[in-house]
Amino acid sequence: MLMFTRAQRPRSNTPNGTIAALDVGTTKVCCLIAKVGAAGSVKVTGVGHHLARGIKAGAVVDMDAIEDSIRAAVHGAEKMAGDSLGQAYVNLSAGHQHSQTIGVEVAVTGTKVTDADVHRAIEQAMIRADVAGREVIHAIPLQYSIDGATGIREPRGMFGARLGVHLHVVTADASQARNLAICVGRGDLEVQGPVSSAYAAGLATLVDDERDLGATVVDMGGGLTTIAVFSEGGPVLVDSVGLGGQHVTNDIARGLGTSMQHAERLKTLYASAVENPGDDRELVDVPLIGEAPRIGGNPVPRSELVRIVRPRIEELFEHVRERLSASGCDEVAGRRVVLTGGASQLDGVGEVAARILEKQIRPGRPLGVEGLAESTAGPAFATAAGMLLYAASGLADADVGSLGPAEKGGSSFARVGRWLRANL
Ligand SMILES: Nc1ncnc2c1ncn2[C@@H]1O[C@H](COP(=O)(O)OP(=O)(O)OP(=O)(O)O)[C@@H](O)[C@H]1O
Ligand SMILES: [Mg+2]
């Protein structure tokens, strides 16, 4: 059975330091190929993107259609890079992802902490994690403690009697993760590892200080909005809200009786989530369904667009606020929110977010990746860029989630156990 499993080949063996990311979104599929430089720099050498067909709210609904979109995006990136891909990190945004942080303590067998002690602590944390019937996407050791002293990043070799670990475990609905993995596999690509969208978006858009002091990244996509909270350098919450830019487009199409195509155009050119002076006087042409567009055909004041769009954006951020307060992570998340994803480009989104979340908002574009053209350096490409950083920075190696050979019926936990035995 094809599953989201991490390829056995370690990162250092990727041919010529080449890494690849495949972001299968609701509106577009994007493939990035990059070279990792000696100092850890990431330089994009190939970019391919294509309209996504067969994905709804981040989940596969038509396998043949999405397979074609994936092939087209991968082919485009391969052609530009002059390279052919065997494997890629693949984004997972659907599947009702949620996360939990498990803290456990185990006795150290000798006087110093060894690999075996670390394995045992992680295994114990995985036993306590609630992963039944779900696919483990990430299991990230956030920090270790020794005899109650917290904040240790690398415990091996340190003296102590008790070793503690805080393991952050992100899970998703297993069937959705597997369906996407099958589509990627059909496109002759091996899934090197799944990456949660919001986590990747945070790696690409947050600066180190934000990740350390606490910040939230909100990736507003076409079909859904994913949320990640970072604190002390790592992720402490991954969640999602089933609303995105396509819902706004739908509302405009319904509200004004126009086609989805025209609604999309009206949204990007004229819509706003906040009122601007003069909106009542500014008229935009809205071609009605079934009628040929003509200048002055069906003038609608811009304020009408705002009236349709604003409640949807408010609803979206009210859900984000509820998720953050229900998680208990709101405190550690600090005051900073970074908005990214294609739908974050809607005018006025930042103002609505600031008012509802009561936090400082800034727009987020992919940082830390070289070689992106202007058209691919925008917020819609943050997730794909973040996956490259995940692959290049060693985070992928430290992540023990969903690793190892997947056998039919094998639980995520069993796979983590096998990976621990094989790799550490
Ligand atoms: N300039 C713009 N103004 C407003 N919305 C925009 C703009 N550009 C793109 N969008 C919207 O962004 C959305 C697509 O964003 P993105 O590419 O991040 O989504 P995706 O990754 O395909 O989907 P998802 O992450 O939900 O699976 C679309 O709904 C599109 O209408
Ligand atoms: Mg996306």
Side-chain angles (χ1 to χ4, degrees):
M1 184 195 286
L2 263 163
M3 294 168 78
F4 254 132
T5 60
R6 218 161 286 266
Q8 284 299 284
R9 208 180 323 162
R11 183 177 53 97
S12 45
N13 284 359
T14 25
N16 335 311
T18 301
I19 52 172
L22 182 68
D23 175 7
V24 184
T26 307
T27 63
K28 53 139 197 357
V29 178
C30 165
C31 180
L32 296 181
I33 301 175
K35 292 255 184 240
V36 183
S41 64
V42 178
K43 191 163 189 333
V44 173
T45 54
V47 180
H49 51 98
H50 199 266
L51 270 184
R53 305 235 182 265
I55 299 279
K56 210 167 172 195
V60 178
V61 290
D62 180 337
M63 292 180 107
D64 292 339
I66 195 60
E67 183 189 328
D68 289 346
S69 300
I70 291 172
R71 277 186 196 279
V74 172
H75 181 69
E78 286 180 333
K79 209 168 150 202
M80 183 174 158
D83 214 340
S84 77
L85 283 185
Q87 51 187 3
Y89 284 91
V90 178
N91 150 53
L92 184 70
S93 58
H96 304 108
Q97 281 177 47
H98 53 75
S99 67
Q100 51 196 308
T101 300
I102 317 291
V104 293
E105 251 196 348
V106 296
V108 175
T109 27
T111 47
K112 279 198 224 169
V113 176
T114 62
D115 267 354
D117 298 315
V118 174
H119 302 175
R120 234 168 345 100
I122 290 174
E123 277 183 318
Q124 284 305 312
M126 286 304 294
I127 286 171
R128 303 236 182 118
D130 180 13
V131 298
R134 294 178 62 79
E135 187 76 8
V136 173
I137 305 300
H138 298 287
I140 302 167
L142 294 178
Q143 57 163 295
Y144 296 91
S145 65
I146 293 177
D147 297 341
T150 56
I152 296 166
R153 294 269 158 95
E154 179 47 88
R156 292 169 185 85
M158 291 177 79
F159 284 98
R162 296 198 67 76
L163 171 71
V165 65
H166 277 105
L167 191 71
H168 187 69
V169 181
V170 181
T171 63
D173 182 77
S175 55
Q176 291 192 12
R178 286 170 197 178
N179 287 339
L180 182 53
I182 288 168
C183 298
V184 174
R186 280 193 193 169
D188 299 327
L189 261 191
E190 186 182 3
V191 177
Q192 199 170 4
V195 188
S196 170
S197 324
Y199 176 45
L203 296 178
T205 60
L206 299 181
V207 298
D208 286 350
D209 275 352
E210 287 170 328
R211 270 196 294 272
D212 287 341
L213 298 171
T216 304
V217 60
V218 178
D219 177 2
M220 302 172 68
L224 75 171
T225 293
T226 53
I227 309 162
V229 175
F230 285 76
S231 177
E232 294 185 27
V236 291
L237 177 77
V238 169
D239 206 339
S240 65
V241 168
L243 290 174
Q246 277 184 340
H247 295 83
V248 178
T249 309
N250 259 316
D251 293 344
I252 295 173
R254 286 219 182 102
L256 298 180
T258 193
S259 67
M260 289 293 285
Q261 195 192 346
H262 286 304
E264 181 72 24
R265 190 176 150 274
L266 290 167
K267 179 178 80 170
T268 35
L269 291 182
Y270 306 109
S272 174
V274 291
E275 276 114 16
N276 291 293
D279 277 352
D280 279 332
R281 291 188 303 278
E282 196 180 327
L283 300 177
V284 291
D285 279 333
V286 179
L288 296 173
I289 288 182
E291 286 183 13
R294 61 198 162 86
I295 294 168
N298 178 36
V300 169
R302 201 173 169 224
S303 54
E304 185 64 11
L305 272 174
V306 179
R307 191 189 57 74
I308 294 171
V309 166
R310 192 177 61 181
R312 189 59 104 174
I313 299 297
E314 286 174 346
E315 182 192 3
L316 189 154
F317 283 106
E318 272 154 18
H319 283 299
V320 172
R321 183 185 60 196
E322 278 161 28
R323 298 291 159 90
L324 288 174
S325 67
S327 70
C329 288
D330 208 13
E331 283 283 292
V332 292
R335 301 256 314 122
R336 177 56 64 97
V337 173
V338 173
L339 295 184
T340 192
S344 69
Q345 295 169 100
L346 180 75
D347 186 67
V349 155
E351 284 160 64
V352 175
R355 174 165 52 81
I356 294 179
L357 302 177
E358 297 180 75
K359 290 186 191 261
Q360 296 166 349
I361 309 289
R362 76 160 175 87
R365 289 170 178 275
L367 308 166
V369 170
E370 297 164 33
L372 284 173
E374 204 184 319
S375 60
T376 48
F381 296 89
T383 299
M387 284 194 276
L388 293 180
L389 295 169
Y390 173 77
S393 62
L395 290 165
D397 295 343
D399 187 341
V400 297
S402 196
L403 297 162
E407 287 162 12
K408 199 170 174 172
S411 70
S412 299
F413 169 61
R415 281 181 280 126
V416 171
R418 275 196 297 278
W419 182 87
L420 286 167
R421 282 190 291 280
N423 289 272
L424 289 179

